Amino acid sequence: MSELVERVDERDEVLAVVDRGEAIRHQWLHRIATIVCRDTAGRILVHRRPDDVALFPGQLNWMFGGAVDVAESYEDAAARELVEELGVHTRPRFVFKFLCAGAISPYWLGLHEVVVTEPLQPDPSEVAWYDWLTESELTDLVRHREFVPDAREAFDRYRDLPLRPEGV
C-alpha cells in the first residue's frame, strides 16, 4: 500500500500529491511531523527502533513521528502519530520547523512538544525499548550511541532555541 504525501517546495508550499516512496527516491521535499515527549519532571522520552523496520533499524531517537498526510497539518499529524506510536491522546504544541537535509531524503521537519501525563502504550512495531532521560543524559547518548542521524540535527536546533521550552 502506498503512502501519499504532499510534495512541497523550499517555502513549504504544496506542489503536488505524490507517493512517499517516489518523494524519497527523487529527493522531493515533503513533510514530517515529530513529537518530543517530556514527563512532568522535564525528562525526555527516548526510544530504540525495532531491528526489523526498514528505516534506521535498531537506532535510537528522541522524537516520535512520521509523514504528514495529504491535507493534514503538522499539528494534526503529530497528534495522530502520538496516538499511533504511544497510545497517548493529547495535543502536542508546535515548536518550530526546519528544512532537514535528511539521511535518506530532504524534508520539512515540524517539531512539536508534549508533556505526557498518561500511561504509555508503545506500539511494538515502532518502539523496541524506551526510557525517560534527563537532557544531560540525552546529550551524552546523542553523541556516543547509534542515533538516528536526523534526530541529532533536530536535537542541536532544539537546544539552541533562544526561548527554550519550559523545563529545558
Side-chain angles (χ1 to χ4, degrees):
M1 182 166 107
S2 67
E3 179 181 14
L4 296 179
V5 297
E6 292 173 330
R7 179 181 176 190
V8 296
D9 63 17
E10 296 78 19
R11 294 181 316 277
D12 195 17
E13 294 181 10
V14 177
L15 299 173
V17 173
V18 300
D19 177 80
R20 184 175 181 201
E22 286 294 306
I24 290 169
R25 221 175 348 277
H26 294 290
Q27 303 286 294
W28 292 335
L29 294 174
H30 55 289
R31 296 174 174 150
I32 302 292
T34 63
I35 309 98
V36 175
C37 297
R38 291 181 168 276
D39 66 8
T40 55
R43 296 178 302 173
I44 299 170
L45 187 62
V46 176
H47 70 286
R48 187 175 61 78
R49 296 178 48 77
D51 292 331
D52 60 351
V53 295
L55 301 175
F56 311 111
Q59 291 190 332
L60 297 167
N61 201 339
W62 70 297
M63 299 180 298
F64 296 84
V68 176
D69 289 341
V70 174
E72 186 178 41
S73 70
Y74 283 101
E75 292 82 359
D76 289 344
R80 175 181 49 78
E81 291 287 345
L82 196 56
V83 171
E84 291 174 4
E85 295 187 19
L86 294 173
V88 172
H89 298 266
T90 191
R91 189 82 177 162
R93 179 181 65 88
F94 181 82
V95 179
F96 67 90
K97 71 178 178 177
F98 70 97
L99 187 54
C100 182
I104 60 168
S105 172
Y107 57 89
W108 279 97
L109 186 149
L111 188 140
H112 302 75
E113 185 176 53
V114 67
V115 174
V116 177
T117 58
E118 61 187 272
L120 299 176
Q121 299 174 336
D123 177 348
S125 70
E126 299 278 352
V127 179
W129 165 91
Y130 67 93
D131 198 6
W132 296 97
L133 302 179
T134 65
E135 185 174 333
S136 175
E137 292 168 329
L138 177 56
T139 298
D140 186 54
L141 193 62
V142 166
R143 303 294 173 233
H144 298 99
R145 296 285 308 265
E146 194 64 28
F147 223 83
V148 173
D150 302 355
R152 284 191 186 106
E153 179 181 2
F155 184 69
D156 290 341
R157 289 175 180 265
Y158 183 78
R159 289 193 61 202
D160 288 345
L161 289 175
L163 296 173
R164 305 270 301 271
E166 195 172 311
V168 180

